[in-house]
Amino acid sequence: FGASVGISGDTLVVGADGEASNSTGVDGSQTDNSAPSSGAAYVFVRSGTVWTQQAYLKASNTAADDYFGFSVAISGETVLVGAHGEDSNTTGVNGNQASNGANGSGAAYVFVRSGTTWSQQAYLKASNAETSDQFGHSVTISGETVVVGASTEDSGSGGVNGNEADNGQGDSGAAYVFVRSGATWSQQAYLKPATTGYGDNFGLAIALSGDLLVVGAYQEDSDAVGLGGDQDDENEADSGAAYLFVRNGTTWSQEAYVKPSNTSFLDHFGYSVGISDSALVVGALDEDSSATGVNGNHADNGAGGSGAAYVYR
C-alpha cells in the first residue's frame, strides 16, 4: 500500500500492487487472499479536514501477479490504474480480458465517479501487446487524455506511430496515448523517441500536462548535455534522458531531447519526471555530486548515488 499515489482536489488514490484479494470491480470482498500480488487501489476523499475511504478498486479480470496499482493517476472524476503484470494478449480498448496468452504484457484500467459511486469505464491494452512489455508500468492523465508507458516494449522503430511490429530493440520502451470522446476511449498515438536504443526503458516515467508530455528513459546511453544534443551517441551507458512531446490538434511530435548539464555514466537521469505548464523537472536517481542546495558544483562526484533533480523552463 503506497506503491503509487495520485491526488486531484479533495480526492486521493493509493495503489497497493501486492494486495492479494481475488475480487473484481469496485468494493468487492477484501477478505479472500487467493490471488497474491493481484493488486488493488483505494480512493479516499476529504471533507473539511477529515479523510474517509470512498472506494476499493480491483481489476475486472483480477489475477495473481498482475500488480494492479503499481501505477495510478487521477484527474477530476477519472482514475487510471496500471497493472504491468497483466497477461492478456488482446489489443486496444475493451478487448478480451480472459485470454492470458501474453505474460506480463500489461494493462491499464479507467474508472469514473458519478456522485460518490465509482465504476470501470475502460480496459486499455497496447495496440501491439506482447509478452513482457509491461504496459502500465507508468500512467498519467490530464483532462480527456491518458498516457500509458510500456518500459520494456521492444520495437526498434523511432518517432510517432512507427512500425509496432519491429522488435529489433529489446526493452527500448514505448508510450501510448489514449483519448476519450464522451465515454468512448481510443488510441491516438504510439510514441517512441526519434532514436531508439536497446534497454533504454523509454516510458518508465511519464507526466502529462495538457498538450505537453514528458517521457523518461533512464537507461539511455548518450553523453550529450543539455537540450538538442546528439541522440545517436552511445558513449555514456545508462546516463539517461527525457523526451518532450507536444500535441497540435491530434498530431504528436517530439519537441525536445533533454539531457542533464553534467551527463555521467549510470546517473539514471529520467527515472522520474514531472511537468506543469512551462516547467519540467527530471530526477536522476544515481547522480553523484556531493553539492548541496541549488546550482552547486555539478562536476563534484564525491557522493555516489546521492541523486539530483533538474528543472527546465
Side-chain angles (χ1 to χ4, degrees):
F1 180 86
S4 57
V5 294
I7 191 165
S8 179
D10 289 317
T11 303
L12 169 71
V13 58
V14 182
D17 65 325
E19 194 265 359
S21 166
N22 71 345
S23 67
T24 59
V26 179
D27 292 332
S29 171
Q30 304 179 40
T31 59
D32 182 336
N33 290 326
S34 61
S37 295
S38 54
Y42 302 79
V43 179
F44 298 86
V45 293
R46 176 172 55 185
S47 177
T49 59
V50 177
W51 289 89
T52 57
Q53 184 175 315
Q54 187 176 69
Y56 165 67
L57 307 179
K58 295 283 289 186
S60 44
N61 61 337
T62 295
D65 298 325
D66 277 2
Y67 301 107
F68 176 93
F70 183 85
S71 58
V72 298
I74 181 172
S75 178
E77 308 301 304
T78 302
V79 161
L80 178 65
V81 183
H84 68 87
E86 193 266 359
D87 299 325
S88 169
N89 64 357
T90 191
T91 60
V93 180
N94 295 331
N96 179 12
Q97 303 179 41
S99 169
N100 287 331
N103 290 341
S105 54
Y109 303 77
V110 180
F111 296 85
V112 293
R113 177 171 55 188
S114 177
T116 60
T117 302
W118 289 89
S119 60
Q120 185 176 311
Q121 186 178 66
Y123 165 69
L124 307 179
K125 294 283 290 186
S127 44
N128 61 336
E130 292 185 337
T131 297
S132 299
D133 276 0
Q134 295 194 65
F135 176 90
H137 193 279
S138 58
V139 296
T140 184
I141 185 170
S142 180
E144 303 301 299
T145 302
V146 304
V147 185
V148 182
S151 59
T152 51
E153 189 266 359
D154 299 324
S155 171
S157 175
V160 178
N161 295 329
N163 180 8
E164 302 178 0
D166 170 9
N167 286 332
Q169 291 282 10
D171 296 349
S172 53
Y176 302 77
V177 181
F178 297 84
V179 294
R180 177 171 55 189
S181 177
T184 301
W185 289 89
S186 59
Q187 186 175 312
Q188 186 177 69
Y190 165 69
L191 305 180
K192 301 277 288 187
T195 300
T196 61
Y198 178 83
D200 279 359
N201 287 134
F202 174 89
L204 183 88
I206 55 177
L208 178 67
S209 179
D211 293 319
L212 292 174
L213 171 70
V214 59
V215 183
Y218 83 114
Q219 291 187 308
E220 190 265 359
D221 300 322
S222 168
D223 67 359
V225 296
L227 300 176
D230 182 5
Q231 302 179 47
D232 295 319
D233 180 284
E234 297 283 306
N235 291 323
E236 207 70 57
D238 294 352
S239 54
Y243 301 81
L244 185 66
F245 294 83
V246 62
R247 177 171 54 187
N248 184 2
T250 60
T251 302
W252 289 88
S253 59
Q254 183 177 315
E255 183 171 77
Y257 168 64
V258 183
K259 295 283 287 187
S261 46
N262 61 338
T263 298
S264 186
F265 174 71
L266 288 176
D267 274 4
H268 295 140
F269 176 88
Y271 189 84
S272 56
V273 296
I275 190 168
S276 181
D277 298 325
S278 60
L280 165 67
V281 61
V282 183
L285 179 70
D286 293 309
E287 192 266 358
D288 298 326
S289 171
S290 62
T292 60
V294 180
N295 295 330
N297 181 8
H298 295 189
D300 174 3
N301 286 331
S306 53
Y310 302 76
V311 180
Y312 302 81
R313 294 191 66 82

